Amino acid sequence: MDNRNDIDFIARRYKEGRFNTTDGWRRLGIAPSSIWRRFRMAAATAAVVALSAAAALYYTGHTARDPEPQHIESAAPEALIMVKVIDFENAPLPEVVSRIEEIYHVKVNNLPDDAAAYSLSLHYEGNPKDLIGVINDILGTHMTVSEK
């Protein structure tokens, strides 16, 4: 019965042209979109796509190429730059130095007077010059490496 009263109320008060659909949508907070707004959105989207494509083409055309490999001559003797793996477990310093000289075919100089008092545990992969530098840093010694 309530529906009939609502219909009667609307039928008695309805007047031609009194209700504007655009105003009704605006009162509800929904603005009608114009055809120009749609074109502006489409144009903005197309511009973004075109700029992205242009940037991608520019980037691929102007990226740095890998340079040709160059042979670099080393001034250091080959024995001093040779990379090998060496391991020590609580070894006295004279034994460590002896193994370094044997494996890398180099001469270790400036061994401390009390070298037997030092012991060393390490795993190292590299060249003898860097290895002696690491040992010097660890033990506070001043040893050097030279070619045999």
Side-chain angles (χ1 to χ4, degrees):
M1 286 245 194
D2 285 330
N3 289 341
R4 188 166 213 197
N5 289 339
D6 292 340
I7 293 171
D8 287 340
F9 176 82
I10 292 170
R12 279 184 271 131
R13 287 172 175 73
Y14 178 75
K15 292 183 183 170
E16 187 73 32
R18 180 162 172 108
F19 181 73
N20 183 345
T21 55
T22 304
D23 290 340
W25 287 116
R26 282 194 184 123
R27 284 184 194 148
L28 292 173
I30 303 170
S33 67
S34 70
I35 190 77
W36 295 112
R37 178 184 240 176
R38 289 183 195 147
F39 283 129
R40 285 190 304 237
M41 288 299 291
T45 304
V48 168
V49 169
L51 286 174
S52 298
L57 289 173
Y58 180 80
Y59 177 76
T60 57
H62 291 86
T63 55
R65 305 284 193 275
D66 289 337
E68 292 295 322
Q70 296 177 354
H71 180 68
I72 299 172
E73 292 294 325
S74 173
E78 188 174 323
L80 296 179
I81 58 172
M82 189 181 327
V83 174
K84 294 195 176 185
V85 177
I86 194 165
D87 289 300
F88 301 107
E89 186 64 43
N90 202 21
L93 186 57
E95 182 184 322
V96 170
V97 168
S98 174
R99 292 267 306 168
I100 291 171
E101 290 177 340
E102 176 187 331
I103 290 174
Y104 289 105
H105 307 293
V106 294
K107 175 73 177 142
V108 177
N109 307 308
N110 299 333
L111 198 65
D113 294 333
D114 58 343
Y118 295 98
S119 62
L120 192 63
S121 296
L122 67 88
H123 170 83
Y124 186 80
E125 181 176 350
N127 63 53
K129 192 173 183 178
D130 291 342
L131 173 57
I132 292 298
V134 168
I135 293 172
N136 285 337
D137 289 343
I138 293 171
L139 300 178
T141 57
H142 302 289
M143 296 182 292
T144 59
V145 179
S146 61
E147 191 171 10
K148 249 184 186 176

